[in-house]
Amino acid sequence: MRLCRRSPARLPAGSLAVWSLFAGIASGQSGAPATKAAGLEEGIPVTDPLVIATCGSCHAPDARGNMQRISWARTTPEGWQNVLKRMVLVNGVSVTAPEARLIVRYLSTSHGLAPEEARPVMYSAERRIHEETNIPDDNLRTACAKCHAFALPLSWRRSPNDWKQFIDSHAVRHMFQASAEAVAFLAKAAPLHTTEWDAWSARTKLPDLAGRWLVTASMPGRGKYYGEMQVDRAGDDEFATRVNLTSVTDGSKVLRTGRTAVYGGYAWRGRSTGSVPASSAPDDLSTDARELLWIAPDHSKAEGRWFWGQYQELGFNVRLQRASSDATVLVIDKPSLKAGTRSNRVRVIGDNFPAGVTPADLDFGPGVIVRAIVSSTAADIVADVDVAADAPLGKRGVSLRRSVLPGAVAIYDRVDYVKLTPESAVAAFADGKHPRGYLQFEAIGYQRGPDGRMHTADDVDLGPVDVTWSFQVFHAPEGSSADFVGRLSATGLFIPATENPNNNYDCWAIATATSAKGQDGAPLVGKAYVVVTVPTYTFNGRRYVRELDRWVDDGPA
């Protein structure tokens, strides 16, 4: 677990970096004229009357319409929302809820990120546990990733002078040494002006998302879903949604309705709920959820996450694509096929499939022969498939005439190991203010890949494998129960115990394959490291609060 310091203002951890955009002004420093404050780099003029009226008394505009600090920064809707929240709490800015939304909408569009800039850092806003391997050195790790994801600073674009002001003020507030190397890195990695932004800002327009969309989704522990979403316009940048999903595994249905706003022409930010009241089960698929999607620049597809939970730890991974009159392959029910097997029944699911499909219309790549079409409808084809013993191993696409689903199926010779995702994570007991924090695990089978070595970058994901789940506390007496800490459900959901023992526990989540065996004949086993913890604690007079994957110093107790 990582420890970091948070402002005593009790804002969410993600607010720390973003509010410091205005740290110098908020602390009472008088700003220089805007053009001087930004050095020689050209700012982005502010043209919105509401932003000028709300922010202009502290962020004075110059003759070109540039406003102090605001004109030399760009960020995501979450970034601007957190800045505005901080200005309300710290500086007493008075705005109504509709005004706040209009301000965030304008800044996210005119001072936002291009889609190509936003996509690499979406995992932070989508609340995903993500291992960040792009931090170049320890100075940046201390300055930018000790208390929050490295994606947070990379969600901003600033002028070099603004990066320096930001890091200097942030270092003072959070008590670390300001680094010239950090300024130089961020000024180069996240500059104010980029070719992507110049191109996008020149063509940004309100997206026309209304119509029928095809949906594929997956939820760890529950498998794949497919269906469709109807999107109807409900305002200039707002849409009402109705989605109907079907489980590939058992055919169960999920019906959800929602409403979303789209910022900057591509940033889908919405909420949805199930058509029936959600139960008390934490992974109930009718639970109210936040929706964050990235819409492709041509508005033909979108991808992201719908999520819920105390720490936003549960939810769907989602992909959308516009429906068309063409045949579209959406999902294959089997993520992998074993070389040397015959008569595999494979279900191909999609939309607008033609009548009279023949084996020649389906292509699973070299070494895979479609022997027969067992059944066929406009949305579903069941095929009888043989896989040659010498079929090339690895991922390949599946096509129905001109429709291709890339990487749809993996051909393998054996399952070499089972890996749990996440590999390490934090779950939490409840207290009087915080509900329990759950963890959803998934057991994925892997083939060793072309290099012949396991646990390397070219290993092939074979999809979920059938396992039995168990839970073990470190250093517990042999044969003792871990129920006082929690339990794992049949779907791999870790449920902390209802009683809070006021202690932290290091544990293993263990998945034992029911059929996949190693070369020694023993069942394959995967493990994940779990810390089950209290949601808050006090140490040396300071209060620490659990975040998604780290501890945050919340100030004096």
Side-chain angles (χ1 to χ4, degrees):
M1 292 181 293
R2 288 167 280 188
L3 300 180
C4 59
R5 186 177 304 281
R6 180 194 274 177
S7 159
R10 300 297 195 269
L11 288 177
S15 302
L16 291 180
V18 292
W19 89 266
S20 296
L21 172 65
F22 304 108
I25 297 171
S27 61
Q29 299 175 14
S30 59
T35 53
K36 183 178 178 182
L40 299 176
E41 186 160 2
E42 187 70 26
I44 302 171
V46 177
T47 60
D48 182 70
L50 178 59
V51 174
I52 295 170
T54 304
C55 309
S57 60
C58 291
H59 307 279
D62 65 9
R64 297 184 179 184
N66 293 319
M67 298 182 71
Q68 293 172 355
R69 307 303 298 272
I70 298 174
S71 288
W72 284 272
R74 299 187 285 112
T75 190
T76 62
E78 289 72 32
W80 287 122
Q81 184 180 52
N82 284 331
V83 165
L84 184 58
K85 184 188 301 182
R86 184 69 185 185
M87 294 301 98
V88 170
L89 293 177
V90 174
N91 281 11
V93 172
S94 178
V95 292
T96 65
E99 288 173 337
R101 184 186 173 282
L102 289 172
I103 290 171
V104 171
R105 181 176 71 178
Y106 170 77
L107 292 173
S108 300
T109 300
S110 298
H111 299 255
L113 301 184
E116 299 86 353
E117 296 172 322
R119 193 174 189 182
V121 293
M122 278 291 294
Y123 63 86
S124 178
E126 290 173 347
R127 303 292 287 165
R128 297 182 188 272
I129 297 174
H130 178 85
E131 182 180 359
E132 296 181 309
T133 58
N134 60 334
I135 306 175
D137 58 46
D138 289 339
N139 285 335
L140 278 163
R141 188 176 299 278
T142 299
C144 302
K146 184 179 180 181
C147 298
H148 50 66
F150 194 48
L152 199 56
L154 293 180
S155 297
W156 285 83
R157 298 294 184 272
R158 307 176 189 272
S159 67
N161 191 67
D162 206 80
W163 273 122
K164 184 178 187 308
Q165 292 183 63
F166 167 77
I167 290 178
D168 286 347
S169 61
H170 206 58
V172 170
R173 183 172 181 82
H174 299 293
M175 295 181 292
F176 64 87
Q177 185 66 42
S179 165
E181 291 82 0
V183 174
F185 173 85
L186 290 169
K188 182 177 180 180
L192 179 64
H193 292 286
T194 65
T195 55
E196 293 85 0
W197 171 249
D198 291 342
W200 179 248
S201 58
R203 69 179 192 270
T204 299
K205 60 180 181 179
L206 291 176
D208 181 14
L209 303 182
R212 178 172 172 262
W213 292 73
L214 304 178
V215 185
T216 54
S218 64
M219 184 174 181
R222 297 292 190 93
K224 297 178 181 179
Y225 291 78
Y226 66 95
E228 62 182 55
M229 173 185 286
Q230 178 64 38
V231 178
D232 296 315
R233 187 174 289 281
D236 287 344
D237 61 351
E238 293 189 1
F239 300 89
T241 62
R242 300 188 305 277
V243 64
N244 184 336
L245 297 177
T246 301
S247 168
V248 174
T249 303
D250 60 16
S252 59
K253 302 288 186 180
V254 178
L255 305 176
R256 298 185 67 88
T257 58
R259 194 176 182 94
T260 191
V262 177
Y263 297 91
Y266 72 89
W268 174 301
R269 301 295 187 267
R271 290 188 177 274
S272 65
T273 188
S275 60
V276 296
S279 69
S280 60
D283 57 347
D284 191 309
L285 303 187
S286 291
T287 303
D288 291 359
R290 288 179 60 192
E291 297 184 355
L292 267 76
L293 298 176
W294 178 91
I295 303 171
D298 65 359
H299 300 152
S300 66
K301 59 184 178 181
E303 61 181 34
R305 187 168 182 250
W306 303 341
F307 53 88
W308 63 87
Q310 170 68 14
Y311 304 97
Q312 297 86 51
E313 68 270 38
L314 302 169
F316 289 96
N317 301 311
V318 179
R319 291 179 180 271
L320 309 181
Q321 62 186 92
R322 284 190 184 272
S324 73
S325 58
D326 296 330
T328 304
V329 178
L330 290 176
V331 67
I332 311 298
D333 71 336
K334 288 182 169 58
S336 57
L337 296 169
K338 190 173 183 179
T341 58
R342 298 176 61 84
S343 297
N344 296 281
R345 287 290 173 95
V346 180
R347 186 179 174 211
V348 181
I349 300 167
D351 187 61
N352 273 334
F353 288 168
V357 172
T358 68
D361 293 323
L362 272 178
D363 185 3
F364 285 74
V368 180
I369 299 173
V370 179
R371 292 292 183 190
I373 300 298
V374 178
S375 63
S376 176
T377 70
D380 187 291
I381 299 169
V382 177
D384 192 357
V385 172
D386 292 347
V387 186
D390 60 352
L393 306 181
K395 291 274 192 179
R396 76 263 302 280
V398 172
S399 63
L400 173 64
R401 297 183 180 176
R402 292 184 300 172
S403 176
V404 180
L405 183 62
V409 67
I411 305 301
Y412 71 101
D413 55 357
R414 67 172 184 264
V415 182
D416 287 299
Y417 64 95
V418 172
K419 177 181 176 180
L420 298 195
T421 57
E423 292 186 272
S424 62
V426 181
F429 299 110
D431 64 13
K433 295 183 178 179
H434 302 86
R436 286 180 285 183
Y438 302 89
L439 271 177
Q440 178 64 63
F441 292 98
E442 190 165 42
I444 306 296
Y446 280 84
Q447 194 258 356
R448 62 202 172 281
D451 68 2
R453 295 183 292 119
M454 295 189 292
H455 305 287
T456 59
D458 70 347
D459 291 358
V460 180
D461 176 347
L462 305 178
V465 296
D466 293 331
V467 297
T468 57
W469 294 94
S470 58
F471 195 72
Q472 178 181 324
V473 179
F474 281 21
H475 313 302
E478 185 175 352
S480 63
S481 173
D483 289 349
F484 71 99
V485 177
R487 62 181 179 83
L488 277 164
S489 74
T491 60
L493 177 67
F494 175 70
I495 304 172
T498 53
E499 295 294 325
N500 184 341
N502 291 315
N503 205 346
N504 298 337
Y505 296 91
D506 296 315
C507 308
W508 289 118
I510 304 170
T512 303
T514 56
S515 58
K517 300 184 186 306
Q519 292 182 287
D520 61 358
L524 294 172
V525 176
K527 286 187 174 184
Y529 172 58
V530 186
V531 177
V532 188
T533 179
V534 293
T536 66
Y537 71 92
T538 300
F539 181 71
N540 286 341
R542 302 193 69 84
R543 181 172 179 263
Y544 293 87
V545 178
R546 186 222 154 171
E547 241 293 318
L548 177 64
D549 60 350
R550 69 194 75 220
W551 282 101
V552 174
D553 182 344
D554 201 40

